[in-house]
Amino acid sequence: MHAQGKKSAEKTDTVALFKGFAVSVDLFGLAQKAMGSYGQYEAALRINLKDKYFPIFELGLGETDHTSDVSQTTYKTTAPYFKIGVDFNILKNKHDIYRLYFGLRYAFTSFKYDVSNPTVTDPVWGEDVSYSYSGVKCSYNWAEIVFGVDAKICGPFHLGWSLRYRSRMSHNNGDLGNTWYIPGFGKNGGNNIGGTFNVIFDI
């Protein structure tokens, strides 16, 4: 009798494996593009498995049209990128309206850029020359460590944010050396810390 009573008192998580999915858009990349010379448009599809595991696919379009105030060099590119990975809900109560995530991503982009400068001084002859290159091919692979939060606001409407640490895995900088901007990754040689602010519809 005692064993039966103990067994009945135990709480079993009977939540179904598939709990739905969520679609989201990132507002931080839009603001970054509006206020600066580069940014991205990004959306994501996230699958909910038992409110614990969240496989996710992120697809974006990164772009820049930047002219240096110092060198007058212009750099342009517009290209897609994708990220695939998984988030883990690390809250003790997995079924709360709030979620705290730790996640990992693999990211990739293949892109072309244009670069030009109207006047560059030749270091040997001292003459002013110009240069222009179009369609320089590059590719980047990188990994991201993600820490994020989202909260239910009303019905299926959620808001969330994430911090991301990016680490380059492999790359091809093309024939001209270092690129100025990598779609989805950010400014080359800049801070490896990024983030998102997401509007989420959890269905």
Side-chain angles (χ1 to χ4, degrees):
M1 293 292 294
H2 177 72
Q4 289 180 346
K6 183 177 180 181
K7 184 177 181 180
S8 63
E10 291 177 349
K11 293 183 178 179
T12 303
D13 191 347
T14 58
V15 173
L17 174 64
F18 179 70
K19 285 281 291 176
F21 63 92
V23 291
S24 64
V25 293
D26 170 36
L27 299 185
F28 180 77
L30 296 176
Q32 193 177 35
K33 183 67 177 69
M35 295 184 293
S37 56
Y38 65 90
Q40 59 274 340
Y41 310 95
E42 184 176 295
L45 172 65
R46 185 173 66 194
I47 306 299
N48 182 345
L49 303 179
K50 296 185 74 69
D51 288 333
K52 298 179 182 180
Y53 313 108
F54 297 84
I56 188 166
F57 177 75
E58 297 169 331
L59 180 66
L61 182 73
E63 65 177 24
T64 185
D65 186 350
H66 172 76
T67 300
S68 171
D69 293 333
V70 178
S71 67
Q72 297 303 305
T73 300
T74 297
Y75 180 95
K76 296 180 182 181
T77 188
T78 300
Y81 61 89
F82 77 85
K83 304 176 185 180
I84 189 169
V86 62
D87 291 331
F88 305 92
N89 184 0
I90 59 177
L91 284 181
K92 184 176 181 180
N93 180 6
K94 306 299 183 187
H95 313 306
D96 202 343
I97 63 172
Y98 304 98
R99 293 174 185 150
L100 186 65
Y101 297 109
F102 172 80
L104 300 170
R105 302 284 189 277
Y106 164 77
F108 174 79
T109 184
S110 178
F111 63 101
K112 298 178 182 179
Y113 70 86
D114 302 334
V115 61
S116 62
N117 192 302
T119 54
V120 176
T121 302
D122 189 298
V124 177
W125 304 104
E127 298 177 349
D128 288 340
V129 296
S130 63
Y131 67 84
S132 178
Y133 298 92
S134 298
V136 182
K137 296 181 180 180
C138 303
S139 62
Y140 268 69
N141 297 265
W142 69 96
E144 295 183 354
I145 298 174
V146 181
F147 178 81
V149 174
D150 84 42
K152 180 177 179 179
I153 304 301
C154 180
F157 177 56
H158 291 226
L159 290 177
W161 58 264
S162 72
L163 291 176
R164 302 176 178 225
Y165 175 78
R166 300 181 294 258
S167 179
R168 189 173 64 188
M169 299 170 63
S170 64
H171 67 285
N172 175 8
N173 268 322
D175 297 332
L176 302 181
N178 288 339
T179 56
W180 187 80
Y181 166 79
I182 302 99
F185 186 89
K187 186 178 176 182
N188 199 1
N191 195 332
N192 284 342
I193 302 296
T196 63
F197 182 79
N198 301 306
V199 176
I200 307 162
F201 291 91
D202 203 333
I203 302 169

